[in-house]
Amino acid sequence: MNILHIDSAITGDASVSRKLTADIVAKLTDANPGATVTHRDLNDGVPAIDSDWFAAVRLAPEHPTPEQQALIATSDAYLAEVQAADVLVIGLPVYNFNLPAQLKNWLDQIARAGKSFRYTAEGPEGLLTGKRAIVAYSAAGTPFGSDFDHASGYLRFMLGFLGIADVDFVAADRLAMDRDAGLARAQDALDKLAA
């Protein structure tokens, strides 16, 4: 089993989502002793896509410049980690009712026509099939799955668009209202999670 462990929280050691992703990875590796883990901390920085990225990665020039080659290599590296993974463990802290910018940037880097999805006569088809995602959701005030939780539904949709339909959530929500209850809900979901 190859596990891709993705963190995106900006709060360092105080991060609930980072603790949850670490606990999920530990549960998976305990149950699968031969598993390999690749850790990617998106808080280290993920370049946003822009017109230079579009010209290099999407338009794929026959003779890319050195600058374009660097943009292509970065995007390819993010995508290769996902392609090699059997399980993705993704930290999803909610900021201002949505996912962090660095997590959105990562999704933009890996959502590549012809590589992670393709268009067919029947509509788009995800190419990253046969994978599982476990998402560690944390929020101070946004209830998981509520009308103003714009993070979990979007992430589930994007993963499904790319072909990853097997998605579980471990949610620690409403932490500002009742931290102990929120953490207890997450622990209960973690305990029930199949490894």
Side-chain angles (χ1 to χ4, degrees):
M1 174 187 286
N2 294 322
I3 301 167
L4 177 57
H5 176 183
I6 299 168
D7 281 317
S8 60
I10 62 174
T11 51
D13 291 342
S15 167
V16 171
S17 69
R18 285 179 184 273
K19 180 179 182 324
L20 288 175
T21 59
D23 290 347
I24 294 165
V25 168
K27 180 170 184 163
L28 292 171
T29 55
D30 285 349
N32 303 276
T36 61
V37 179
T38 300
H39 184 240
R40 173 71 76 167
D41 191 343
L42 304 183
N43 192 47
D44 291 339
V46 180
I49 62 173
D50 57 14
S51 55
D52 291 336
W53 184 93
F54 181 81
V57 178
R58 279 285 174 84
L59 298 183
E62 186 176 348
H63 302 290
T65 66
E67 293 81 12
Q68 289 176 325
Q69 289 173 349
L71 293 171
I72 295 164
T74 297
S75 187
D76 284 350
Y78 291 125
L79 183 55
E81 288 177 346
V82 178
Q83 290 170 326
D86 300 303
V87 180
L88 288 75
V89 177
I90 303 172
L92 174 59
V94 176
Y95 302 144
N96 302 316
F97 311 104
N98 214 327
L99 64 166
Q102 55 272 26
L103 185 53
K104 172 65 165 66
N105 290 348
W106 176 80
L107 288 166
D108 288 341
Q109 289 282 355
I110 67 169
R112 293 177 50 191
K115 304 256 186 194
S116 56
F117 71 93
R118 66 181 171 199
Y119 294 109
T120 71
E122 292 77 37
E125 176 188 1
L127 301 177
L128 301 177
T129 57
K131 301 178 188 305
R132 176 186 186 197
I134 306 170
V135 180
Y137 175 101
S138 66
T142 305
F144 175 71
S146 68
D147 288 344
F148 49 96
D149 165 17
H150 302 290
S152 64
Y154 175 76
L155 183 56
R156 183 189 295 277
F157 173 82
M158 280 301 300
L159 292 171
F161 178 79
L162 300 176
I164 305 171
D166 183 3
V167 181
D168 293 308
F169 282 84
V170 173
D173 61 353
R174 293 168 280 173
L175 295 170
M177 290 77 161
D178 190 339
R179 184 177 180 84
D180 291 342
L183 294 175
R185 283 190 295 275
Q187 186 61 52
D188 184 57
L190 180 59
D191 291 344
K192 293 175 180 172
L193 194 66

